[in-house]
Amino acid sequence: MKKLILLVNILLPLHIYANSISYLNHIRQTVGLIPLKENGYLGDAAKKHSQYLLINSLNSHYEKKQKGFYATTPSLRAIKSGYSSRYIKENIATNVKNDKEAIDILFSAIYHRFVFLSFDIDEIGVGVSMSSKKKNIKNVYVYDLGLSNIAQLCKNEYLTLDGISYIKDLCRDSTKYIPESEYQKAQHQVEIKNSKIIMYPPKGAKNILPAFFNENPNPMPGYKVSGYPISVSLNPVYFDNIRLKKFRLYNSKNRMIRAKLFKSTNDFNHKLRDYEFTIIPIHRLDYDSDYIAYFEAITNQGKVKLKWSFHTRSFKEQVYTIARNYTKLMVNEDSIILYIKPKNRKDIIKKVKFSGDIKLDFIDGNTVKVSNIHSLSTIYIDDKKIKVSRSY
């Protein structure tokens, strides 16, 4: 009996950093946000942290004084690399197939998505480290994001005067005081370049992942699998005093999808800001299906009403949904997709074995691709037994 081995391609595509940035910028521009410029200082900080995480098989924004240590926090790493501001946001992905999958997975995790969709960033550095050794973590992608206007403020000199509010601990020199009005102006100058409203998935999007699995911190404690988050952010330059009235998701048959609503006032992780809203479906969405989202809020600009649709991921291979403990399949294709329907919120694939010459690859925590089907093969996925044979 053969055990499934999930192989990670350790070959970096050419210009991996540019590809990561260009793919992220494609998404940002699709939804109405400005593209991010590459910054070498942020790139160096991200690279150093990716090396530290790989060496120590960790996934964390913080470093301890051990092998590969560079600096404790994202801000301190950026400062040490030469960046003038401590105004840093960071995303991390590990054990992914490539740079595109790293960003896709981070977009499926709502807190990390809002970092990438921030109105108040305009530059980025990417660091990637990989290893072919047998380790818990085989690759690390680190994304450090900043705001050039605030970095420039930290290069200026300001007098401290009575009656003016200042911000401390913002620059490389932690004792430097930046006028709060200048700080707010720097944010405003980049925020106003972006669209008023950001919906994700965007209107008309296709090939959207159907599921969300894990995030730290976790917005869905107790869940190992749920549906893909739907989100709306309202640009704070334009909107204030936002009161959410409705945020719902429907399938193509106009049936409402059960979902949990999160906003700043009920987000127990205290990550969401007043203008960020999300619903996370209780169950994962279906493959190759249309969904319609509705959003309604009252703001200082009046009523905001949104309605848009998107389509979930589809495959060129036939998808077989497996719910019974024993399934026998006679297929006409060399490759198929097996979707092991979760029985509950904690049901993800834990163990896979198979016989025959087939090849298996994970698509996600409930889905595998079976290829090289030529003769009868038996696949064991947890408590499921699946016999697959080819019809000629």
Side-chain angles (χ1 to χ4, degrees):
M1 192 72 69
K2 299 177 184 177
K3 289 186 177 181
L4 171 64
I5 299 175
L6 179 58
L7 297 176
V8 178
N9 182 5
I10 63 170
L11 294 176
L12 281 171
L14 293 175
H15 309 299
I16 179 73
Y17 303 149
N19 286 343
S20 292
I21 296 170
S22 61
Y23 181 57
L24 175 57
N25 280 338
H26 167 73
I27 296 175
R28 281 179 57 90
Q29 290 176 287
T30 297
V31 299
L33 293 167
I34 61 171
L36 305 176
K37 300 169 294 191
E38 185 173 6
N39 181 284
Y41 297 130
L42 294 178
D44 182 68
K47 180 64 177 180
K48 294 292 198 305
H49 190 49
S50 71
Q51 293 170 337
Y52 168 86
L53 296 177
L54 188 69
I55 290 169
N56 296 288
S57 287
L58 296 172
N59 186 345
S60 172
H61 295 291
Y62 302 97
E63 294 186 8
K64 296 180 180 179
K65 291 187 177 180
Q66 55 187 336
K67 190 173 182 181
F69 175 80
Y70 188 59
T72 311
T73 65
S75 295
L76 291 177
R77 291 190 290 272
I79 291 293
K80 187 172 181 179
S81 290
Y83 198 62
S84 59
S85 163
R86 298 169 187 254
Y87 191 87
I88 302 296
K89 303 181 183 186
E90 185 174 79
N91 272 346
I92 300 169
T94 61
N95 288 344
V96 294
K97 294 177 182 177
N98 50 49
D99 49 341
K100 180 180 181 298
E101 182 175 275
I103 291 172
D104 286 342
I105 287 176
L106 288 168
F107 266 89
S108 74
I110 191 60
Y111 299 134
H112 293 74
R113 176 193 298 176
F114 279 132
V115 169
F116 276 153
L117 296 182
S118 293
F119 294 103
D120 56 352
I121 55 174
D122 67 356
E123 52 187 358
I124 185 173
V126 181
V128 181
S129 293
M130 296 195 171
S131 173
S132 58
K133 296 179 181 179
K134 291 183 178 180
K135 303 176 69 173
N136 290 334
I137 292 182
K138 293 184 177 296
N139 57 61
V140 181
Y141 290 73
V142 177
Y143 305 87
D144 284 344
L145 308 108
L147 178 53
S148 60
N149 289 359
I150 289 181
Q152 182 58 49
L153 289 183
C154 289
K155 298 176 183 178
N156 300 337
E157 297 296 331
Y158 299 95
L159 295 174
T160 53
L161 303 172
D162 291 339
I164 296 178
S165 297
Y166 292 89
I167 295 177
K168 191 182 174 184
D169 296 325
L170 182 64
C171 305
R172 181 185 294 113
D173 178 1
S174 61
T175 64
K176 176 176 278 194
Y177 288 84
I178 302 296
E180 186 175 3
S181 60
E182 291 296 314
Y183 170 82
Q184 293 174 343
K185 181 181 176 181
Q187 285 184 310
H188 180 93
Q189 285 173 337
V190 69
E191 288 170 341
I192 204 167
K193 296 178 182 178
N194 295 300
S195 293
K196 291 183 176 182
I197 301 173
I198 305 300
M199 302 106 74
Y200 202 90
K203 181 178 180 180
K206 299 185 182 301
N207 214 33
I208 295 299
L209 300 179
F212 159 64
F213 290 97
N214 195 18
E215 184 172 17
N216 185 20
N218 194 348
M220 300 280 281
Y223 285 76
K224 291 187 176 181
V225 57
S226 55
Y228 193 79
I230 317 303
S231 65
V232 171
S233 18
L234 304 178
N235 193 327
V237 168
Y238 303 100
F239 297 101
D240 198 2
N241 300 321
I242 304 166
R243 289 186 293 117
L244 181 67
K245 304 295 289 183
K246 180 189 300 183
F247 197 173
R248 294 173 185 167
L249 184 68
Y250 293 83
N251 64 15
S252 59
K253 296 179 181 179
N254 205 34
R255 292 177 181 170
M256 189 169 75
I257 304 300
R258 289 181 60 208
K260 290 190 175 185
L261 166 69
F262 296 95
K263 51 185 178 177
S264 63
T265 53
N266 74 340
D267 173 26
F268 48 84
N269 291 313
H270 307 293
K271 294 290 184 180
L272 299 183
R273 290 173 284 191
D274 292 343
Y275 52 85
E276 295 173 336
F277 305 88
T278 184
I279 50 173
I280 303 180
I282 298 297
H283 304 292
R284 59 178 291 157
L285 304 180
D286 294 327
Y287 283 118
D288 197 14
S289 299
D290 288 312
Y291 290 90
I292 304 98
Y294 294 85
F295 176 92
E296 186 177 323
I298 304 297
T299 76
N300 61 316
Q301 299 288 332
K303 185 178 290 187
V304 173
K305 293 184 71 173
L306 305 170
K307 177 184 176 182
W308 76 102
S309 63
F310 61 90
H311 194 87
T312 53
R313 183 175 185 180
S314 59
F315 300 91
K316 62 180 182 180
E317 298 88 358
Q318 179 70 38
V319 178
Y320 294 90
T321 299
I322 307 298
R324 296 177 297 175
N325 286 346
Y326 177 76
T327 304
K328 188 174 183 180
L329 299 175
M330 180 74 74
V331 303
N332 299 318
E333 310 89 358
D334 175 74
S335 299
I336 60 172
I337 304 295
L338 296 180
Y339 166 50
I340 313 302
K341 189 172 183 178
K343 292 178 291 187
N344 54 57
R345 64 187 181 178
K346 296 184 178 181
D347 190 13
I348 59 174
I349 295 173
K350 301 174 185 67
K351 186 178 180 182
V352 176
K353 293 182 180 180
F354 63 92
S355 64
D357 295 325
I358 58 174
K359 179 184 176 184
L360 274 81
D361 296 291
F362 273 106
I363 301 295
D364 66 25
N366 300 115
T367 315
V368 296
K369 178 180 178 179
V370 184
S371 53
N372 197 36
I373 302 171
H374 295 294
S375 57
L376 178 65
S377 296
T378 304
I379 306 168
Y380 297 89
I381 301 180
D382 295 331
D383 60 348
K384 304 287 193 299
K385 181 178 180 180
I386 306 142
K387 287 198 171 186
V388 181
S389 57
R390 180 79 177 269
S391 174
Y392 289 96

